[in-house]
Amino acid sequence: MSTNDHAELDRQLQRSLGPDTPQLTPSPALTHAVMARVHAEAEASAGPRPLAFPWRRALPGLAAGCVVLALCMAAVLRGAAEHLPATHVSALLSLPSYVTAAYSSIGDASRLRLGWLAIALLIALVPLSLTGRLIEAKQRAIER
Amino acid sequence: MNDRAKPANEDDEDVARVLGGDVDAFAGIVRRWQGPLVNLAFRFCGDAGRAEEMAQEAFLRAYRRLATYRGDAAFSTWLFALATNVYRDEVRRVPARMVALEDAAEPAAPASLRDDLCAREQDRIVHSAVLTLPAKYRDAVLLYYFQEMDLPAAARTLRVPEGTLKAHLSRGRQLLRAKLARLRPGQPATVESAEQGVVG
């Protein structure tokens, strides 16, 4: 094969495949179509926006929880005061691990009215779970 | 190609803005490169409508992988390499629709090859022949001629050593001659007859 032949084939290929022939002009909608997909991609990759904690809705629940917790603690202390000797009570109040001390000192759980304690804890959990459900419902609504 | 003469810093600026969270800055990249990318896609598939769809895919992948552009090479090199991968995958998935070389209209007389219409027909035939080459030779021929016979640029785009690209080009041309020779019934598919068939 001669150099001329090689050059002729090169010329032919360049004419067929070169950057300028045939020069297709992209449709005017191409940029718009690409950007629409890019925006969709950007939104999808960003994910759902983090939800702000609903303090206003949660506040009554949290306050109620605190009250119930305080009542529970008061009930525990009252029970302990009724059933334990005064020395044990003072020791109970001074110790940071008072629950362990109360259990080990009292021995008899029924005397602390654990049934009432359990009910009180359940009542405290209700507002917390309600708050959680409210957040989940709001999140689902946003995702939809 | 005029589009490639755009200042590189425009691309770099837009890339930095997009990575900084300004998604709309990507429109500048699309506007500057849609012509070259659509035309490169057309070289791979031979269909103008499909070329736009393929270019869209290439732009979308470019957006997704923009963070991998480090700026150590020209943005165009990075973009063409990425687009070439997209187009290669696309034509592997759905092969290019081509006119069978045997069915292509043969020019009535050698003199008429000078006519624009005949020249365009010749171009189309050559293009179809290139698309029938095995992928590695096809890619080498398409990129080399699309990038104005710039061997280093084509090698960078294809991410192969220049020597490998040269070998692929040589083999690709050889196969092409044999394919194009079939345009002339009654003539053996030799290199010489193929060249006559192509050049007229």
Side-chain angles (χ1 to χ4, degrees), chain B residues 74 79 82 90 99 105 121 129 138:
Chain B
L79 188 63
L82 183 141
E90 276 292 315
V99 176
E121 182 63 14
R138 176 203 64 201

Side-chain angles (χ1 to χ4, degrees), chain B residues 14-28:
Chain B
D14 283 342
V15 169
R17 283 173 58 197
V18 174
L19 292 178
D22 180 5
V23 178
D24 290 327
F26 195 73

Side-chain angles (χ1 to χ4, degrees), chain B residues 69-196:
Chain B
Y69 169 61
R70 299 184 190 284
D72 46 3
F75 181 75
S76 58
T77 304
W78 179 83
L79 188 63
F80 277 115
L82 183 141
T84 299
N85 276 336
V86 173
Y87 300 160
R88 202 185 280 157
D89 292 346
E90 276 292 315
V91 293
R92 193 183 299 137
R93 200 172 55 84
V94 182
R97 198 180 53 194
M98 289 163 297
V99 176
L101 295 180
E102 290 77 5
D103 297 341
E106 193 184 353
S112 66
L113 284 175
R114 294 194 186 89
D115 183 67
D116 275 355
L117 204 63
C118 281
R120 274 204 291 276
E121 182 63 14
Q122 275 281 27
D123 291 346
R124 201 175 57 78
I125 291 165
V126 171
H127 189 183
S128 293
V130 172
L131 295 181
T132 62
L133 292 174
K136 59 184 175 182
Y137 306 129
R138 176 203 64 201
D139 295 351
V141 172
L142 286 179
L143 264 297
Y144 176 70
Y145 289 99
F146 185 73
Q147 300 201 309
E148 298 169 287
M149 300 167 80
D150 183 343
L151 193 79
R156 279 197 302 274
T157 300
L158 288 168
R159 292 174 180 147
V160 294
E162 286 181 30
T164 306
L165 180 60
K166 268 186 196 171
H168 287 176
L169 275 172
S170 174
R171 180 70 185 138
R173 284 194 198 100
Q174 225 173 5
L175 292 170
L176 206 52
R177 277 181 213 111
K179 282 177 184 292
L180 290 170
R182 291 185 214 142
L183 282 173
R184 295 243 165 153
Q187 287 193 15
T190 60
V191 168
E192 288 73 21
S193 65
E195 281 162 7
Q196 283 169 3

Side-chain angles (χ1 to χ4, degrees), chain A residues 49-56 135 138 142:
Chain A
R49 279 181 299 172
L51 290 172
F53 189 78
W55 284 109
R56 258 198 342 201
I135 293 170
K138 193 171 181 182
I142 288 171

Side-chain angles (χ1 to χ4, degrees), chain A:
Chain A
M1 181 185 178
S2 72
T3 313
N4 275 351
D5 293 337
H6 188 93
E8 280 297 318
L9 184 59
D10 260 352
R11 189 185 58 77
Q12 177 67 43
L13 283 166
Q14 202 176 12
R15 205 182 66 187
S16 302
L17 306 170
D20 299 322
T21 50
Q23 188 70 40
L24 287 183
T25 307
S27 69
L30 182 64
T31 307
H32 181 74
V34 171
M35 287 312 292
R37 291 184 68 183
V38 163
H39 277 292
E41 182 84 10
E43 279 169 27
S45 62
R49 279 181 299 172
L51 290 172
F53 189 78
W55 284 109
R56 258 198 342 201
R57 286 188 182 190
L59 214 56
L62 288 174
C66 287
V67 168
V68 170
L69 197 63
L71 288 174
C72 286
M73 285 180 70
V76 169
L77 290 175
R78 197 167 47 242
E82 282 173 11
H83 299 286
L84 290 175
T87 50
H88 281 192
V89 174
S90 61
L92 189 72
L93 290 173
S94 64
L95 286 171
S97 56
Y98 64 91
V99 176
T100 315
Y103 263 95
S104 60
S105 302
I106 296 162
D108 185 4
S110 65
R111 281 194 295 175
L112 279 176
R113 297 171 188 168
L114 287 183
W116 286 108
L117 187 64
I119 290 170
L121 283 171
L122 277 175
I123 291 169
L125 284 173
V126 168
L128 289 174
S129 67
L130 272 177
T131 310
R133 277 166 188 262
L134 281 171
I135 293 170
E136 279 172 17
K138 193 171 181 182
Q139 196 163 11
R140 273 200 296 272
I142 288 171
E143 280 169 4
R144 255 184 261 126

